Structures are given as C-alpha cells and as structure tokens.
Amino acid sequence: MQKINQKIIAKKFGVSVSTVSRAMNDSHQISEPVKKKINSYIKKIKFQPNPHARSLRNMKTKTIAVLVPDIANSFFTLSLRGIEEVLHKNGYNLMIFQTNDQLETEKQIFNQLESGIVDGVLSACSSNKNGAIEHIMKLNEKIPVVFFDRFLKELPIPYVTTNNFEVSIEATDAILKECTDVFFVGISEKISVTAERLMGYKTALSHNKIAFDPKKILMFEDEASAYKKFKILLQNRKNKSAFFSTVERYTMELYKVCTELNIKVPDDIAIISFTNHPYIHLFMPNMPIVSMPSFDMGKMSTEILLTLIKKKKLLKPNYILPSTILY
Amino acid sequence: MQKINQKIIAKKFGVSVSTVSRAMNDSHQISEPVKKKINSYIKKIKFQPNPHARSLRNMKTKTIAVLVPDIANSFFTLSLRGIEEVLHKNGYNLMIFQTNDQLETEKQIFNQLESGIVDGVLSACSSNKNGAIEHIMKLNEKIPVVFFDRFLKELPIPYVTTNNFEVSIEATDAILKECTDVFFVGISEKISVTAERLMGYKTALSHNKIAFDPKKILMFEDEASAYKKFKILLQNRKNKSAFFSTVERYTMELYKVCTELNIKVPDDIAIISFTNHPYIHLFMPNMPIVSMPSFDMGKMSTEILLTLIKKKKLLKPNYILPSTILY
DNA sequence: CTGTTAGCGCTTTCAT
DNA sequence: ATGAAAGCGCTAACAG
C-alpha cells in the first residue's frame, strides 16, 4: 500500500509542500490555476491529510466528546441524533462515553480528555455541587465544556436544559387530580435535574395543600432495587397510590411490578413519567408522559459548543427548552 | 494555563527528553531510580503525553471506530456495552458512527477513517456482496476491520455473528404451529443477516410442506412504510395470520397497528420477533422472541479486533454465537 | 505568488 | 545509562 502525503504530491507537481498545503487550505496566497490543479488531483486520489500531524500543528482535532450516563436511555439516544446532525454538518467527529452515573468514571474520562483528544466536551454530568467539580473546571481551562440536560448552575459553564421545575409542577398537579398519595421516583438528589424536579413536586404539593412526606421520595441506584421497593410498596398498598417518575427505566420496573401484581394502570394506580421512548404508549397507553425536547437539546448544545470552539461570542450562555406533557 | 510536555519535565530533572520518554514507556535502557523518580512526578501532576504527537510518531491512536446502523436498536445498544467494556480494559477509546443503513453514509465514513483517526474498525455494515465493497477492502489494507452481526462471507474479513439461519428455522417452525400464513418482515435482502434469516424462513416452510409465497416477504426502508403496509394488511385480513419479524422497530409498528385495530396478540395474530429490548415482554407479554447474545458479540468482536491491531494471530477468524428463542 | 525553514511533541536510532 | 538529533506530516512565519 502506497502511502501518500503532501511531500509526494508536491514532488509530482514540481512544487513545494507549502504550496500543496496552501492549496488544500484554500489559501489566497497562491494562484488559482495551481490551486485548482492540485486540488483536483487530491480529490481524484481522495487524499486526506494526516489528522495527527494536523492536530499536532493546529492543536485542533475536529472531534468532540459526549458524556452521557446511559446510551440506552431514550432521551440520550435522541439527543445523540441531534448532536450528530450538527457535528456532521460541520465536519466534526463524535466520541461517546458512558458514565453509568459513576462519578469516578466521569472523573477518569475528564482527565483523559485533558490530553487533547477532542476540541470540546458535551456533558450530561453526574457531578454535583457538593461533590468534586475540579475535574470539570480543570478541563474547561483547556477546552470548552457545555452541559446538556444535567448541569451545575454554580459553574461558569453554559448549559442547555429543560424547564424541569415548571414541568414537574405541572406533572404533579396533573397526577394529584387522580390521587393525592404521590410518590416521587428519581436517581439522586445530587443530580441537578432530579433536584429541580423534586422541587417542582414539592411546590405542587404545597400549592395543593398536601403535606410533604419524605417517605414518598424514592431514589434508586439501579433497576433491581427499584423493582424490589416497588414490589414491596404495591404488595402492601391499601389505597390507590400515584407515582411521578423522573426515570424512564424505573417506570418500566414499576410497570413490570404492576403487571405481575395485576394492578391496572391507570385504574388502580396513577403514573406519570419522564420519557422519550418512541413506543411508550404501546405498553402504557393511558399514561401521561413528560416529553423532553431531546433532539433539539442535543442540537442546541452542540451549536453552543461549536461556537465556543470557534472562539466566537455566545449570545446567551444558557438555554432552557420546554418539555411538554402528553396526556 | 501552564502547558506541559516532556521537554519541561526533562528540564525540571536536568535530563533529556529522551530519558523522560523512556521513563514513560518503561524502557529498560534507563536506570530504575531515574525512571521511578520521573514517573512518580508524572503521576503526581497527572501529565499525559500529547496523543497527536504520539499518534504521528507511532501511527497508532488507541481509538477504534464502531459503525452501527442505528444506535437506538436494543441489539446495538447492548453490543456497545460489551465493546466498551473490552476497550476500556485495554485503554482504548471509542468512536461511534451511525449509518442509518445508508450505503452512501457508510462509504463516506469508511473513507474518512482512511485518514488514520483510528486503529481499527468494528462494522455492522450495510453493504452487500453485489454492491460496493471497495471502500471496505481499501480501508482494510490500512487498518484491521472486523464485522459484527452483519458481515460479508465473501470477504477475507473476520466476523462475529449469530446463527441466523438455524434460529430462523426454529422461529418459523415455532410460529407455524400457531398459523401457517406467515409473513416475513425485514429491511432488505441485501443485508447479510436478513438474507440468512429469510433462508431459514424458507427452509422451515419447505420442511413443513408449505408453499413459499413471495407476497409474504415484507421489506421496509423505514417505520412509516412498515406501518402503512401493516395497516392495510391487517385491515383486510380474512384469516389469522402470523409474522416473523427480524426488525425490532417494525415489530413495534406492527404491534401499534394491532392495538389500533384492536387485534389481540397472540389470539388474533401470531408474532415472533428478533429483539433484545429489555422490557419487550411488558408490552407483548406472550410474544416469543429471538434474543441475540448482543453483549457477548460486542465483546468478542472487540477482542478479535484488538488481536488484529496487535498483529497477533487469530485462532479462528469467524465466530457464531447462538441466539435463543424465549417463549 | 512561491519556496525555505522552523517547529508542534513525541519516539527511536545512533553515538557516546 | 544517557543525550543529541532526526523525523513522523503538517502549517505558517519569513524571505524573496
């Protein structure tokens, strides 16, 4: 396999490497005919300049990294489509990392990214204000970081998220009409969006003059523990109860338990859930859902990131795209 | 922000850059004390060598690319977990590309990969034997390519797949017990796995002495056309019919139509489908499924790829991991 | 408009 | 055991 580089091309045309380089970079410094001649040859043989040499020289990689907790979550799957679309249009590549909501994993990835393999980072981060944030700030000194979905208000890092607080009030209000005994389901208060949603839940309760009961807050680290808890709760239930779930996969577990215990949704139990699963209404036909603008959030955060990478001014650092409740 | 490199470290210790480099690469050419001293400092300040300089020098990137048609497909989501696990263990990064089953997209990605941004490629390719394969062979001259799931028998490229033919016979046999009027649902005969599954379907028909009817073969390019066709078919149906679906998302569309037309599964219609969706039985409790060993296929293909990247000998070029039917 | 040259940060050969 | 120096392929400052 014949390896090819600018030197070889230069030799072929009897010019210098810089002329080839300039042709490829569409420089104004060289004559049109030469430029055209070289470029048409380059196109013909499909020559691509060595990206490492270019990166080494330019300190640019034309690649960005995305950190998500879980690629299987429909919200992130859809966001990734939006992200990909924008990147592709701009000639950027995408590197995807899963954190599984492990702070240690996240830290490790952030550290790794400091080596310079990417030009920017999109992060739906697991960190919280109390926890470690140094890794984020440290990376952000080198390359731009943009949060999407999850974010940290305290940090001077742009973010694109949704109106978690408001839509959670609305969601809780809606379900309170069915039943006043509402459980809140989440992952951890440490996650920004969960905290906001919980706040919305509490606010709605207070609007409706319902006492807040800490026992109604259910936070789970994994599906298995969610399942177990739901099973116990529903086996021992006395009155109709309701669930406001902020985690798609836990909603699935809840529904699984309902099926097993032959509990009918929405007659015996009321559920409202955050989800972007395209077929959710096939399994849970009557469940109202909170649908996030995943695709647009992905697109917008990527556009912001690219703006920062190009060192252009941001019109606004933060964007909040509204979610909608579908009944 | 103070940028750091081997030169700076060398200066700090009053040694040369090559000594630092050798220390970092654990060379036997330098004394233990010096090596230890330098490395402990490097660890302390978490210095990471510039990956582009390294790649440029070594022609290695420690990154591999994965091409999948659709990241949202549960099979690929799970495979990616397996892939990630192996890569992570070996200090490799992952670049994910979606082809959306577009040959043009695939070609473009393959071309792009020729520039040398990755050390190897894992591909669930959309190409077919009749179509263009030059882009695959061309890339494979430069870096190793391994197929997973979809493959091209004709090419000298290792693959990891499942027993599509056999399990499709089994699946068709199973559904034939319910009903002899079986439709086959797929994407395109051009895709290797679809061709194999179709062959299994035909074989089972012939075993059962049922005439093959080309009208029973339903191939769709997207969800919308699948939906439309299913709707027409089921609205006009006379007898009980059955479907052997090889595409998860089309199964969802089929089920959607059933719900809309109030057709009961499995009483009014029999369905068996390939899927790895973790919650599939929540919506379709009684539907038998063909479950692929996604995670293991991802792991194994990655191990093969890494073996090739290290230029080691492969024990066996091709692996077929069996799928299982869950009733 | 074009060529020469230096240098991005690293590894490795060659010399000591 | 260590250092000097070359060079991976590219871009850009400088010179003409």
Side-chain angles (χ1 to χ4, degrees):
Chain A
M1 192 207 67
Q2 169 63 32
K3 95 172 138 187
I4 190 140
N5 57 30
Q6 290 184 345
K7 203 163 139 195
I8 294 176
I9 296 174
K11 203 170 289 171
K12 180 181 171 71
F13 286 98
V15 294
S16 73
V17 235
S18 28
T19 303
V20 177
S21 172
R22 284 193 263 253
M24 294 186 63
N25 291 297
D26 197 27
S27 160
H28 295 290
Q29 297 184 62
I30 60 170
S31 70
E32 276 305 320
V34 175
K35 196 196 283 186
K36 210 164 269 175
K37 194 173 62 179
I38 295 177
N39 278 328
S40 75
Y41 177 68
I42 279 170
K43 199 183 269 174
K44 205 187 83 191
I45 64 163
K46 285 186 187 151
F47 169 66
Q48 302 189 67
N50 184 309
H52 308 301
R54 197 171 240 183
S55 299
L56 180 59
R57 200 44 244 240
N58 295 342
M59 299 301 175
K60 285 266 165 265
T61 67
K62 281 282 190 171
T63 301
I64 77 127
V66 178
L67 268 79
V68 292
D70 174 20
I71 211 181
N73 180 320
S74 63
F75 167 73
F76 292 115
T77 313
L78 284 171
S79 298
L80 282 167
R81 282 204 204 287
I83 292 169
E84 221 182 24
E85 187 178 296
V86 177
L87 289 182
H88 192 250
K89 217 177 280 173
N90 288 274
Y92 276 76
N93 283 128
L94 173 60
M95 230 163 195
I96 301 178
F97 296 88
Q98 291 192 72
T99 64
N100 298 310
D101 273 316
Q102 298 299 309
L103 182 58
E104 269 318 305
T105 311
E106 182 190 315
K107 276 191 195 170
Q108 200 200 317
I109 297 169
F110 267 81
N111 284 338
Q112 195 187 130
L113 294 176
E114 274 193 53
S115 70
I117 45 176
V118 297
D119 294 343
V121 178
L122 237 40
S123 169
C125 71
S126 311
S127 312
N128 59 86
K129 48 196 170 205
N130 309 315
I133 51 160
E134 299 83 34
H135 61 287
I136 302 177
M137 293 316 293
K138 190 139 171 270
L139 182 60
N140 194 48
E141 282 174 25
K142 295 198 182 177
I143 55 174
V145 176
V146 172
F147 290 142
F148 79 101
D149 184 41
R150 307 178 179 188
F151 64 100
L152 294 170
K153 246 204 304 288
E154 299 77 16
L155 303 188
I157 289 183
Y159 58 79
V160 174
T161 188
T162 188
N163 58 342
N164 286 293
F165 176 69
E166 292 80 3
V167 84
S168 293
I169 296 182
E170 204 184 323
T172 312
D173 274 344
I175 206 160
L176 280 172
K177 287 184 191 133
E178 305 285 326
C179 165
T180 58
D181 193 24
V182 184
F183 289 90
F184 178 95
V185 179
I187 297 176
S188 159
E189 259 189 87
K190 294 179 181 172
I191 295 170
S192 66
V193 293
T194 307
E196 292 190 314
R197 292 168 189 175
L198 181 57
M199 198 63 84
Y201 162 86
K202 287 182 184 170
T203 306
L205 287 188
S206 112
H207 283 175
N208 288 273
K209 312 226 184 319
I210 296 171
F212 168 69
D213 176 3
K215 283 204 207 79
K216 294 272 161 62
I217 307 304
L218 310 175
M219 300 287 188
F220 305 111
E221 295 232 315
D222 54 54
E223 285 91 330
S225 33
Y227 175 85
K228 229 161 104 182
K229 179 70 178 177
F230 291 144
K231 192 94 180 202
I232 294 170
L233 268 178
L234 293 182
Q235 273 171 336
N236 302 319
R237 82 194 192 286
K238 289 177 192 113
N239 310 311
K240 176 169 178 177
S241 54
F243 291 82
F244 171 31
S245 171
T246 64
V247 188
E248 182 177 281
R249 54 187 200 280
Y250 296 163
T251 309
M252 302 283 190
E253 296 296 332
L254 176 58
Y255 188 71
K256 195 198 281 179
V257 171
C258 291
T259 313
E260 288 169 4
L261 298 179
N262 200 23
I263 297 175
K264 296 285 172 238
V265 187
D267 297 333
D268 306 336
I269 187 179
I271 308 179
I272 187 167
S273 173
F274 271 83
T275 179
N276 287 85
H277 196 293
Y279 294 103
I280 192 78
H281 281 122
L282 280 185
F283 4 169
M284 315 188 195
N286 301 308
M287 181 180 73
I289 62 169
V290 182
S291 171
M292 296 170 69
S294 325
F295 187 81
D296 288 335
M297 285 170 69
K299 270 177 77 167
M300 183 164 286
S301 51
T302 311
E303 276 154 7
I304 291 180
L305 184 62
L306 292 184
T307 310
L308 290 174
I309 288 174
K310 288 170 193 152
K311 301 206 184 300
K312 288 196 192 148
K313 273 263 153 29
L314 235 45
L315 290 176
K316 226 170 61 161
N318 306 321
Y319 288 83
I320 298 177
L321 307 186
S323 292
T324 46
I325 300 189
L326 305 176
Y327 296 94
Chain B
M1 190 208 68
Q2 169 64 29
K3 95 174 139 185
I4 189 139
N5 56 29
Q6 290 185 345
K7 201 164 142 194
I8 295 176
I9 296 174
K11 203 171 285 170
K12 182 181 168 71
F13 286 98
V15 296
S16 73
V17 239
S18 19
T19 304
V20 177
S21 171
R22 284 194 263 254
M24 293 186 63
N25 292 296
D26 197 28
S27 160
H28 295 289
Q29 297 185 63
I30 60 171
S31 69
E32 276 305 319
V34 175
K35 196 196 285 187
K36 210 164 269 173
K37 195 174 60 179
I38 295 177
N39 277 328
S40 76
Y41 176 69
I42 279 170
K43 200 184 271 176
K44 205 187 82 192
I45 65 163
K46 285 187 189 153
F47 169 65
Q48 304 190 65
N50 183 308
H52 307 300
R54 199 170 238 185
S55 298
L56 181 58
R57 208 31 249 239
N58 296 340
M59 298 302 174
K60 285 263 164 268
T61 66
K62 281 279 189 177
T63 301
I64 77 127
V66 179
L67 268 80
V68 293
D70 174 19
I71 210 181
N73 180 320
S74 64
F75 167 72
F76 292 114
T77 313
L78 285 170
S79 298
L80 282 167
R81 282 204 203 288
I83 292 169
E84 220 182 24
E85 187 179 297
V86 177
L87 289 181
H88 191 250
K89 217 177 279 171
N90 287 275
Y92 276 76
N93 283 127
L94 173 60
M95 228 165 198
I96 301 178
F97 296 88
Q98 291 193 70
T99 64
N100 298 310
D101 273 316
Q102 299 298 309
L103 182 58
E104 269 319 304
T105 311
E106 182 190 316
K107 277 191 195 170
Q108 199 200 316
I109 296 168
F110 266 81
N111 284 339
Q112 194 187 131
L113 294 176
E114 274 192 53
S115 70
I117 44 177
V118 297
D119 293 345
V121 178
L122 237 41
S123 168
C125 71
S126 311
S127 311
N128 59 86
K129 48 196 171 201
N130 310 315
I133 51 160
E134 299 82 34
H135 60 288
I136 303 176
M137 294 317 293
K138 190 140 172 267
L139 182 60
N140 193 48
E141 281 174 26
K142 295 198 180 174
I143 55 174
V145 176
V146 172
F147 290 142
F148 79 101
D149 184 41
R150 307 178 180 188
F151 63 100
L152 294 170
K153 248 204 305 288
E154 299 76 16
L155 303 187
I157 290 182
Y159 58 79
V160 174
T161 188
T162 187
N163 58 342
N164 286 293
F165 177 68
E166 292 80 2
V167 83
S168 294
I169 296 182
E170 205 184 323
T172 312
D173 273 343
I175 206 159
L176 279 172
K177 285 182 191 135
E178 306 285 325
C179 165
T180 59
D181 194 23
V182 185
F183 289 90
F184 178 95
V185 179
I187 297 176
S188 160
E189 257 188 87
K190 294 180 180 172
I191 295 169
S192 65
V193 293
T194 307
E196 291 190 314
R197 292 168 189 175
L198 181 57
M199 198 64 84
Y201 162 85
K202 287 182 184 172
T203 305
L205 287 188
S206 114
H207 283 175
N208 288 272
K209 310 225 186 318
I210 296 171
F212 167 70
D213 177 2
K215 284 204 206 76
K216 295 273 160 59
I217 306 305
L218 311 175
M219 300 287 187
F220 305 111
E221 295 233 315
D222 53 55
E223 285 91 331
S225 32
Y227 175 84
K228 229 161 101 183
K229 179 70 179 176
F230 290 144
K231 192 94 180 202
I232 294 171
L233 268 179
L234 293 182
Q235 273 171 335
N236 302 318
R237 82 194 192 287
K238 292 179 188 110
N239 310 310
K240 176 169 179 177
S241 55
F243 291 82
F244 171 32
S245 170
T246 63
V247 188
E248 182 177 281
R249 54 187 201 280
Y250 296 163
T251 309
M252 303 282 191
E253 296 297 332
L254 176 57
Y255 189 71
K256 195 198 280 177
V257 171
C258 290
T259 315
E260 287 169 5
L261 297 179
N262 200 25
I263 296 175
K264 297 284 172 240
V265 187
D267 297 334
D268 305 337
I269 188 178
I271 308 179
I272 186 166
S273 173
F274 271 83
T275 180
N276 287 85
H277 195 294
Y279 295 104
I280 192 79
H281 281 123
L282 279 185
F283 8 165
M284 314 187 196
N286 300 308
M287 180 179 73
I289 62 169
V290 182
S291 171
M292 295 170 70
S294 325
F295 187 80
D296 289 334
M297 285 170 70
K299 269 178 77 166
M300 183 162 286
S301 51
T302 311
E303 276 155 6
I304 290 181
L305 184 62
L306 292 183
T307 310
L308 289 175
I309 288 174
K310 288 170 193 151
K311 300 205 185 300
K312 287 193 194 152
K313 272 265 154 23
L314 236 45
L315 289 177
K316 227 172 60 158
N318 306 320
Y319 288 82
I320 298 177
L321 308 185
S323 292
T324 46
I325 299 189
L326 305 176
Y327 295 94

